[in-house]
């Protein structure tokens, strides 16, 4: 019983964290171009490495 | 004709592209201000398909002057360009150089899809709640009791509150709407079941009872929301794909003021009496009379006529006609709201009616189902009250009946099949506007086709190429490359590779043809009477009368015969429709001769030529009165009223905007085989839907007696509900596996070329 007293809040907190993360990602437009995101990893970035 | 000169330089920019590019004024009109001098323009680029495309486009556009940044969205095939300053950067031309056709995208329709994000958020919340409550419920089922069980129930009740308020809100709203209008839909039993289950569970929790149905009410919402979200995504995808096609109606026009000033005005602000400059390759925005200039115009979208018409001053032209060869100055005779296009919209609205009466299968089933369920629960309550007198027990069992009959499987039975079917059609380049379209398509017994642009491509094809001297054909092709007249394009396309002919001077005479000089002789390609000025029509019998000829110094050296090319797969498509037991008819605005040729080749049962738009509607209404369910396939503005009058309608992607909006299905590929495929998939889907409903009913027939006898525990309810839902989903997925082998593969291989063709032709 005592273990439950903190295990349940911990479980709920972790779940809520995931839910919050998902809602944040949704709001910041990260699900708007799923096909594009999959292809974009193939693009070489033109970073200048001469530092 | 000095007054036409201003239009000519505008035409020059367009010459090389072969299709209509939006002018800079049009782009400016369609862009939207982001404040602070920054403007955003959305372009639809249908041929973007991989990482290399993304990079090429973003780099090229980013290098243009005044362009702040450009971002490609691969899912919607769109590019958003943000730019500054007064001058519109030449991004459409830049894309053209890279080989991408770009179309302007309506700025005002670009509002973000609020419904989808609300649905996804609801799914996320419901999923979170369902997962956590199920975790606690499993502990209860596996033996937790006493204070632990009460604690778990209380925690579950707390988690369920946000899920019901947020995710359940969607169902409550819809149910309330239906009830308020005296209707019944699937959401009514869902809303009642879920809220009663929650209320009873809360009561049980307060009174330290054994059984709480928090898990049932929340996971029910979760499952149903998944189905609903998938359904929405599918339809939204089809909608944006259709929206992304090029706009065929003109957005505005260059107005010539009395003092010689030129203004680009949006269509809505054009008034009768204004002088409009129409460059070659532009569409005429409003009805008008030609004030000066001669040209050929393509009326195929407006009247269904397949051959271009030549026009000269005093001729009248309708809105939507495409100006092909020479610049024109027209005097507007009607405002946009009184033009031909607006007339079509009115006819269309008048014709809409038969379709509005159609009730979706799900609604028909739920109208029967919901009262039966509620009555069963009520009878159970009364029965147990009479038998035991224990109102708490009677209430518990009645609510258990409601929960077990809550139409989880029934709610999924229809949408899941339609989602799978729509996905299959989407993969084959067919967009479905909504699920009821498939239900309606499955019931048809007559298919009616438009001719120009639907059974045929609306583009002429040279038929006597084999009998023409190859050297002459090459000269003709060299000349034809300088014109955008459809006949010229047909000739030029035939010998595109080696046009090495050096002509000294090429001029196009709108309405007549092309003239060039080479090595001392004058070559002309065009109308017989103009090109063959030395030839006596009587003496040149070998080449026949009329038509298009190539002449050297006025003597006819070759004549060309054209025919409207049939759409790919037209013959096979009609055969397949016949095999499916349909009657096939053709309605056209074109001449009887042109119609009978096409009808013979394709094996069409019956045709009616020379029809006005209202005539097509009448014909369809006559068929409907005779008890036929009619499918209309058409593309022109003149088909639009017929498209909405028919029981269900299909349009090719090259159709006029308004036609695409009126149609239930839009197919993106060139082949007409899309029509029998859509029919086939719809019929299979209809079959699976009925199977699914049967499964749901059988499930209820088994589960309801158990519930009425009072043997249902939350565990049994959870198992029964999940099992029936999985069964229904599994059954729906069979549609995807059936016969997906050969056609899909072929089609995928040439998808890119199809899209390119589509973009070029539109």
């Amino acid at each position: 019983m005592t273990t439950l007293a903190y295990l349940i809040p911990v479980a709920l907190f972790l779940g809520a964290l995931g839910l919050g993360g998902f809602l944040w990602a949704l709001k910041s437009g990260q699900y708007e171009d799923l096909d594009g995101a999959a292809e974009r990893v193939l693009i070489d970035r033109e970073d200048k490495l001469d530092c | 004709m000095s007054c036409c000169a201003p239009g000519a330089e505008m035409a020059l920019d367009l010459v090389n592209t072969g299709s209509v590019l939006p002018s800079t004024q049009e782009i400016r009109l369609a862009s939207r201000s982001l404040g602070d001098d920054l403007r955003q323009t959305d372009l639809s680029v249908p041929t973007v398909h991989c990482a290399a495309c993304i990079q090429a486009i973003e780099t090229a556009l980013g290098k243009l002057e005044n362009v702040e940044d450009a971002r490609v969205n691969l899912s919607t095939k769109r590019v958003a360009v943000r730019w500054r300053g007064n001058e519109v950067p030449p991004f459409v031309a830049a894309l053209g150089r890279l080989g991408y056709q770009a179309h302007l995208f309506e700025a005002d329709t670009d509002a973000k899809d609020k419904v989808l994000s609300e649905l996804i958020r609801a799914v996320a919340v419901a999923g979170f709640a369902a997962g956590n409550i199920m975790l606690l419920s499993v502990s209860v089922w596996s033996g937790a009791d006493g204070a632990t069980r009460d604690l778990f129930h209380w925690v579950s009740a707390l988690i369920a509150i946000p899920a019901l308020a947020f995710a359940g809100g969607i169902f409550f709203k819809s149910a309330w709407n239906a009830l308020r209008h005296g209707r019944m839909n699937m959401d009514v039993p869902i809303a009642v079941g879920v809220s009663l289950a929650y209320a009873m569970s809360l009561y049980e929790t307060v009174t330290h009872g054994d059984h709480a149905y928090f898990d049932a009410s929340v996971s029910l919402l979760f499952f149903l929301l998944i189905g609903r979200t998938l359904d929405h995504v599918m339809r939204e995808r089809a909608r944006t794909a259709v929206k992304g096609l090029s706009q065929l109606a003109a957005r505005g026009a260059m107005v010539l003021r009395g003092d010689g000033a030129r203004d680009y005005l949006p269509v809505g602000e054009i008034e009768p009496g204004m002088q409009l400059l129409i460059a070659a390759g532009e569409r005429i925005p409003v009805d008008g009379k030609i004030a000066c200039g001669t040209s050929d115009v393509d009326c195929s979208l407006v009247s269904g006529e397949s051959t271009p018409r030549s026009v000269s001053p005093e001729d009248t032209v309708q809105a939507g006609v495409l100006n092909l060869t020479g610049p024109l100055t027209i005097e507007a005779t009607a405002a946009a709201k009184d033009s031909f296009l607006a007339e079509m919209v009115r006819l269309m609205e008048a014709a809409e009616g038969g379709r509005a009466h159609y009730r979706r299968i799900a609604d028909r089933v739920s109208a029967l189902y919901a009262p039966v369920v509620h009555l069963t629960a009520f009878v159970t309550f009364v029965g147990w009250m009479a038998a035991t007198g224990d109102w708490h027990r009677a209430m518990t069992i009645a609510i258990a009946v409601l929960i077990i009959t809550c139409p989880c499987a029934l709610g999924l039975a229809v949408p899941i099949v339609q989602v799978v079917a729509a996905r299959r059609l989407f993969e084959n380049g067919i967009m479905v506007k909504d699920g009821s379209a498939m239900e309606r398509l499955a019931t048809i017994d007559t298919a009616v086709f438009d001719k120009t642009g639907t059974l045929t491509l609306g583009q002429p094809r040279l038929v006597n190429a084999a009998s023409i001297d190859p050297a002459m054909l090459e000269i003709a092709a060299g000349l034809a490359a300088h014109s955008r007249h459809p006949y010229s394009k047909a000739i030029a396309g035939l010998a595109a590779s080696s046009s090495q002919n050096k002509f000294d001077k090429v001029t196009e005479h709108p309405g007549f043809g092309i003239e060039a000089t080479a090595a001392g002789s004058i070559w002309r390609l065009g109308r017989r009477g103009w090109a063959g000025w030395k030839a006596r029509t009587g003496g040149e019998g070998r080449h026949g009368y009329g038509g298009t000829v190539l002449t050297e110094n006025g003597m006819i050296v070759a004549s060309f015969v054209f025919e409207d090319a049939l759409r790919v797969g037209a013959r096979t498509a009609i055969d397949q429709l016949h095999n499916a037991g349909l009657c096939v008819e053709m309605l056209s605005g074109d001449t009887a001769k042109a119609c009978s040729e096409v009808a013979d080749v394709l094996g069409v049962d019956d045709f009616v030529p020379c029809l006005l738009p209202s005539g097509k509607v009448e014909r369809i209404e006559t068929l409907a009165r005779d008890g036929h369910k009619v499918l209309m396939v058409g593309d022109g503005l003149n088909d639009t009223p017929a498209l909405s009058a028919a029981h269900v309608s299909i349009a090719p992607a090259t159709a006029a905007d308004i036609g695409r909006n009126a149609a239930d299905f839009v197919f993106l590929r060139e082949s007409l085989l899309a029509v029998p495929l859509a029919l086939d998939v719809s019929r299979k889907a209809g079959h699976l839907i009925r199977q699914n409903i049967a499964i749901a009913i059988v499930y209820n027939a088994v589960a309801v007696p158990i519930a009425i006898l009072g043997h249902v525990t939350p565990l049994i309810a959870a198992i029964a509900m999940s099992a029936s839902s999985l069964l229904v989903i599994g059954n729906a997925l069979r549609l995807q596996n059936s016969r997906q082998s050969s056609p899909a593969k072929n089609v995928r291989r040439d998808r890119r070329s199809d899209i390119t063709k589509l973009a070029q032709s539109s």
Side-chain angles (χ1 to χ4, degrees):
Chain A
M1 208 38 201
T2 42
T3 43
L4 287 177
Y6 59 86
L7 273 181
I8 290 177
V10 164
L12 285 178
F13 172 73
L14 287 176
L17 207 65
L19 180 67
F22 175 75
L23 291 180
W24 166 78
L26 187 70
K27 205 173 174 186
S28 62
Q30 299 190 33
Y31 288 92
E32 266 163 40
D33 184 14
L34 292 176
D35 297 349
E39 295 278 355
R40 271 175 203 276
V41 290
L42 301 172
I43 300 177
D44 291 324
R45 282 172 58 189
E46 291 173 23
D47 285 341
K48 306 251 177 336
L49 292 172
D50 50 354
C51 40
Chain B
M1 288 171 214
S2 58
C3 65
C4 299
E9 74 230 20
M10 280 157 51
L12 278 181
D13 322 338
L14 304 167
V15 160
N16 295 326
T17 57
S19 89
V20 190
L21 282 188
S23 63
T24 48
Q25 294 92 338
E26 218 173 327
I27 294 176
R28 205 179 164 75
L29 211 61
S31 67
R32 66 196 147 101
S33 177
L34 300 176
D36 203 28
D37 195 30
L38 197 66
R39 301 186 76 82
Q40 175 165 340
T41 304
D42 289 300
L43 297 170
S44 161
V45 188
T47 47
V48 173
H49 78 298
C50 71
C53 302
I54 297 179
Q55 198 178 20
I57 290 176
E58 287 184 353
T59 327
L61 291 183
K63 276 186 192 144
L64 292 176
E65 213 170 318
N66 288 335
V67 170
E68 197 79 354
D69 79 296
R71 182 139 182 119
V72 177
N73 186 325
L74 192 68
S75 314
T76 49
K77 310 245 186 255
R78 254 184 270 163
V79 183
V81 190
R82 284 194 280 175
W83 49 279
R84 288 180 187 285
N86 289 319
E87 282 294 299
V88 179
F91 35 72
V92 179
L95 284 172
R97 275 197 296 279
L98 291 171
Y100 297 100
Q101 290 272 344
H103 315 294
L104 271 181
F105 205 79
E106 283 280 345
D108 50 319
T109 54
D110 196 38
K112 263 182 128 187
D113 185 1
K114 291 220 176 61
V115 182
L116 179 63
S117 27
E118 197 190 339
L119 273 174
I120 292 185
R121 242 175 278 144
V123 172
V125 171
F128 164 78
N132 282 296
I133 293 175
M134 201 48 92
L135 205 70
L136 297 168
S137 299
V138 169
S139 322
V140 174
W141 297 334
S142 52
D145 57 0
T148 319
R149 188 184 60 208
D150 282 352
L151 174 70
F152 284 176
H153 281 169
W154 274 115
V155 175
S156 301
L158 280 179
I159 303 172
I161 290 174
L164 283 186
F166 191 68
I170 293 169
F171 296 96
F172 294 141
K173 257 182 260 160
S174 157
W176 172 238
N177 259 336
L179 284 181
R180 214 179 32 181
H181 293 105
R183 285 182 292 110
M184 202 52 157
N185 65 6
M186 209 53 109
D187 292 338
V188 175
I190 293 171
V192 171
V194 165
S195 40
L196 277 182
Y198 185 81
M200 185 193 79
S201 307
L202 203 60
Y203 176 81
E204 288 287 308
T205 307
V206 173
T207 55
H208 310 286
D210 294 341
H211 298 315
Y213 290 94
F214 294 117
D215 61 305
S217 60
V218 176
S219 48
L220 188 76
L221 283 181
F222 182 48
F223 282 134
L224 288 170
L225 277 170
I226 291 176
R228 199 152 294 203
T229 310
L230 281 177
D231 189 41
H232 185 83
V233 167
M234 211 63 225
R235 270 187 294 168
E236 198 54 29
R237 209 167 155 188
R239 218 164 56 84
T240 44
V242 170
K243 258 195 331 197
L245 299 165
S246 70
Q247 288 271 336
L248 290 175
R251 237 175 266 268
M254 189 65 87
V255 173
L256 192 67
R257 301 278 190 201
D259 54 0
R262 283 188 274 152
D263 274 326
Y264 192 83
L265 289 186
V267 172
E269 289 174 24
I270 295 173
E271 284 160 19
M274 284 183 169
Q275 301 269 317
L276 310 176
L277 296 175
I278 313 287
E282 282 188 348
R283 267 183 205 279
I284 293 170
V286 294
D287 293 354
K289 199 173 68 187
I290 294 175
C292 111
T294 48
S295 178
D296 297 279
V297 292
D298 176 356
C299 307
S300 58
L301 269 190
V302 174
S303 66
E305 237 174 291
S306 49
T307 16
R309 205 173 83 195
S310 65
V311 290
S312 49
E314 294 303 306
D315 284 346
T316 54
V317 283
Q318 285 148 321
V321 164
L322 179 65
N323 180 18
L324 291 169
T325 45
L328 289 173
T329 306
I330 68 164
E331 187 187 318
T333 53
K337 61 178 186 343
D338 305 317
S339 279
F340 181 70
L341 186 68
E343 166 86 30
M344 287 301 107
V345 175
R346 269 195 297 278
L347 264 176
M348 190 174 103
E349 280 164 1
E352 203 124 25
R355 195 175 306 183
H357 297 307
Y358 183 81
R359 288 179 70 221
R360 301 183 56 160
I361 291 178
D363 291 341
R364 275 181 284 167
V365 171
S366 62
L368 284 175
Y369 184 79
V372 171
V373 165
H374 292 161
L375 204 67
T376 315
F378 182 70
V379 169
T380 311
F381 175 73
V382 172
W384 278 92
M385 268 305 267
T388 62
D390 178 357
W391 77 268
H392 173 245
R393 182 141 186 232
M395 197 69 190
T396 316
I397 292 171
I399 289 175
V401 169
L402 266 187
I403 293 170
I404 210 99
T405 52
C406 212
C408 193
L410 208 53
L412 282 172
V414 180
I416 198 87
V417 173
Q418 284 174 345
V419 166
V420 175
R423 167 143 207 110
R424 246 197 92 184
L425 291 176
F426 190 87
E427 280 168 1
N428 288 294
I430 304 165
M431 307 293 161
V432 187
K433 290 279 184 59
D434 69 278
S436 85
M438 275 187 274
E439 292 174 19
R440 281 183 274 129
L441 185 59
T443 61
I444 57 152
D445 58 6
T446 309
V448 173
F449 287 85
D450 164 50
K451 185 177 78 73
T452 314
T454 308
L455 288 175
T456 68
L457 284 174
Q459 288 161 0
R461 196 185 51 168
L462 189 60
V463 283
N464 63 339
S467 64
I468 297 173
D469 180 1
M472 292 301 129
L473 192 61
E474 203 168 299
I475 291 171
L479 274 172
H482 295 274
S483 166
R484 53 161 68 234
H485 192 284
Y487 285 179
S488 304
K489 282 197 214 157
I491 298 178
L494 218 66
S497 51
S498 58
S499 50
Q500 291 298 319
N501 287 299
K502 288 281 180 292
F503 297 110
D504 294 333
K505 194 175 140 227
V506 181
T507 43
E508 178 162 17
H509 297 268
F512 297 105
I514 314 156
E515 182 182 71
T517 53
S521 34
I522 299 171
W523 293 90
R524 278 183 175 182
L525 175 68
R527 222 161 270 281
R528 173 179 293 266
W530 168 80
W533 75 91
K534 278 185 184 165
R536 291 247 180 78
T537 16
E540 293 287 329
R542 187 161 70 89
H543 296 294
Y545 293 103
T548 306
V549 295
L550 176 70
T551 63
E552 184 183 9
N553 294 325
M555 300 302 288
I556 295 173
V557 291
S559 72
F560 303 89
V561 180
F562 296 96
E563 184 185 86
D564 197 358
L566 288 178
R567 195 175 270 275
V568 183
R571 173 83 222 209
T572 332
I574 303 250
D575 283 349
Q576 287 183 12
L577 291 179
H578 275 141
N579 289 344
L582 297 187
C583 227
V584 180
E585 272 194 35
M586 183 169 85
L587 303 181
S588 178
D590 211 348
T591 59
K593 185 174 163 289
C595 288
S596 67
E597 278 168 15
V598 173
D600 283 349
V601 175
L602 294 178
V604 173
D605 299 327
D606 197 7
F607 68 88
V608 189
C610 307
L611 280 176
L612 290 174
S614 52
K616 294 195 179 192
V617 175
E618 268 167 35
R619 175 76 191 135
I620 285 177
E621 280 170 352
T622 316
L623 283 169
R625 264 198 300 278
D626 293 346
H628 293 290
K629 295 259 185 349
V630 183
L631 159 72
M632 171 77 201
V633 188
D635 78 317
L637 279 177
N638 58 334
D639 298 319
T640 310
L643 285 174
S644 47
H647 191 58
V648 59
S649 52
I650 304 184
T654 46
D657 310 325
I658 164 176
R660 282 195 309 252
N661 289 336
D664 298 304
F665 294 80
V666 175
F667 61 97
L668 300 184
R669 308 240 166 88
E670 202 170 84
S671 168
L672 204 60
L673 287 175
V675 175
L677 179 74
L679 177 67
D680 183 49
V681 171
S682 300
R683 283 189 171 172
K684 284 209 181 96
H687 193 64
L688 281 178
I689 285 174
R690 276 190 290 277
Q691 267 182 15
N692 269 351
I693 291 177
I695 291 177
I697 289 172
V698 167
Y699 151 79
N700 275 320
V702 174
V704 169
I706 304 177
I708 293 177
L709 294 176
H711 293 305
V712 164
T713 63
L715 178 62
I716 293 176
I719 291 171
M721 245 168 19
S722 318
S724 67
S725 301
L726 286 177
L727 205 62
V728 163
I729 293 172
N731 193 34
L733 288 177
R734 292 198 304 141
L735 187 63
Q736 201 157 32
N737 301 329
S738 68
R739 234 190 37 170
Q740 216 200 354
S741 48
S742 55
K745 263 184 216 152
N746 292 338
V747 152
R748 191 159 299 154
R749 183 154 32 79
D750 50 32
R751 176 182 289 179
R752 190 169 148 68
S753 64
D754 276 354
I755 291 175
T756 319
K757 260 186 241 151
L758 165 70
Q760 279 162 358
S761 63
S762 53

